[in-house]
Amino acid sequence: MIRGLRRFVLRGLLVLACCGAPWTAALAAEKMILGVQTHFAYDRTVDAGRVIEWVKAARIDSTRDEMYWIQLEDERPGLRLQDGADVVWRVWSRELPHTAPLMLLGYGNPKHDAGGQPRSDQAVAAYADYVRWVVGQTRSRVGLVEVWNEWNLKAGAKPEGGAQGEARDYVRLAAAASKAVKAVAPEVLVLVGGTSEDFPDWRWMREALALGVLDGADGVSVHAYNACDRANVGADEVMRRLDKLQSLLTRQARRAVPIYMTETGWPTHTGACQVSEEDAGLYTLRLLLEAAQRPWLRGVWFYEAIDSGTDATNREHRFGLLRRDGSERPSGCMVREFGATIAGRPVQVVRQGSVTAAVFQDAGRSLVFAWGHERDRPLRVRMQLRLQAGAGTAAPLPAAPAAPAAPAAFTRCGVETGATKLMGAQLELSAALHSARPVMFTLPAPASIETLQMD
C-alpha cells in the first residue's frame, strides 16, 4: 500500500445470522478515504488557515488540489514548482503532513495544441513529460493522481485550442500519463475517467472502457452531482448511479475495479438547482452511510472545503462545507462529527424492507444509525442490541434496568436521536424515522444488533 495510505487498515465487516432477520453479507474492506476538494492552487483570497484547521479537526484523510500544467511549464524552458503549485506543495508538505493528497493533473497549456485538450502527438508527449516531472517531484507526499478533470465535458481547454471531449483522445492521453507515472513512481495510484454528467447510462465511460481506458490504471474516478435533477436530488440517486457503474466495470474488466468518487456535493446558492443547507447536510450524511457499505468505493471527496466565492446566486460559489467566512454549514458539521467514524466502514449492517441500520465503532463506542429511502413515508423503528461489556468499554454499564430515556429533538449537527432502554447487557432503541433523515444512537461499548422492526 502506498506510503500516505498505510493507515487505511483492513477491517472485517461482521456478518451475523439471527432469528430470520435479513443480515447483509460483506467482504473485508479497506477504510474508505474521506476527502475534500481544496483550491489552494488558484484561490489566494481564501482563509487557508481556517480550511487547514477544519481539515485537521474533521480527521480528513485526503485533500484534492491541482498542479496545473500551465503553472509548471510557462514560456521559459523546463518545468518548475511555482505559483499555485508551489502553494499547494507547501500546504501538503508543511501544514497537512499526515494527509494523503490527491493531485489533479491537467488543463491545457498554450504551448501545446494552443491550450486545448492535448490531442496531437507533440502535445500528448509534452503532457506525459509534465506528468513524469511533477510526480517525480511530489512522490514523497502524493499517493494518488487523477488524469485530467471532466474531459467528457470539454473542461480545461482554452477556446482557441478547442476541446472535443472525445473518449478516444482521453484514452490515449491516459495511457501516456499512466506510463509516465509508473516510470518514476510505481507506488502512486493512477485514477482515470474524471467524468461528470455522464448521462443517461455512462455512455462516455462505456466508450472509454471499450477503448482500453483501464490499461495501466489503478482505479476509476467519477464526479456525481444531481442538484438539478429535481425528481431525484439526494444521496439515493447518486448511489444507484455508482452501483450501475460498478456493475459495468466488473463486466467489462472481468475483475473488481476500485471506484473513487473524487467530487460530489450539493450547492446552497439562491436560484435554479438550489438545495437548502439543511437538506445538503442530510444528503451528505446519507451519502457517507451508503458509500461506506460498498467495499469497491475506495474514497469520497466532497466538493468543496470552503465556498469558492461570495456571490449567493452563483451555484459554483456555494458548494462549500464551510461558508466563505469560515463558519460551518450543516454538511461540514456532518463530515467533521461523523465522517471519519463512518469511513471506517460498518461492523454490521441490517436491512428490513426499506430501512437500513448500521453499527460503526470508534474509540470503544458504537454509533448506530438507522435510515430509510428518500421520500419514504414516516414510520417508527425498534431495535434490540447486545452490548459487549468488558475490556475496552468507554463507560461502565448500568447494573439495574433503566427507565426509558426521554427522546431529544436533535443532537449533534441536527441529527435526530431516539429513546433508549437499557436492561443489563441488552438495549432497546426506538425512534421515529422521517424518510431518509437518519436517526443516531451513541452507545458506551461495542454493540451488535439482534433485531430490527418497523411499526
Side-chain angles (χ1 to χ4, degrees), residues 32-39 54 60 62-64 102 222 224-225 235 238-239 261-266 280-289 291 299-306 319-322 331-332 334-336 338-340 342-343:
M32 185 175 72
I33 301 170
L34 178 66
V36 294
Q37 171 76 48
T38 56
H39 281 129
W54 183 88
I60 296 296
S62 175
T63 57
R64 176 179 182 259
L102 169 56
V222 295
Y225 298 101
V238 169
M239 299 315 303
M261 185 158 52
T262 55
E263 285 189 23
T264 191
W266 290 270
L282 290 173
Y283 299 154
T284 297
L285 178 57
R286 283 275 286 102
L287 185 77
L288 283 168
L289 289 168
V300 174
W301 283 257
F302 287 99
Y303 189 93
E304 56 188 325
I306 193 168
F319 275 94
L321 300 176
L322 305 178
S331 52
M334 296 293 189
V335 173
R336 177 180 52 79
F338 309 122
I342 293 173

Side-chain angles (χ1 to χ4, degrees), residues 98-121:
H98 303 298
T99 61
L102 169 56
M103 182 166 63
L104 176 58
L105 301 167
Y107 291 170
N109 188 319
K111 294 181 65 175
H112 311 286
D113 284 1
Q117 290 182 331
R119 288 178 289 162
S120 70
D121 291 347

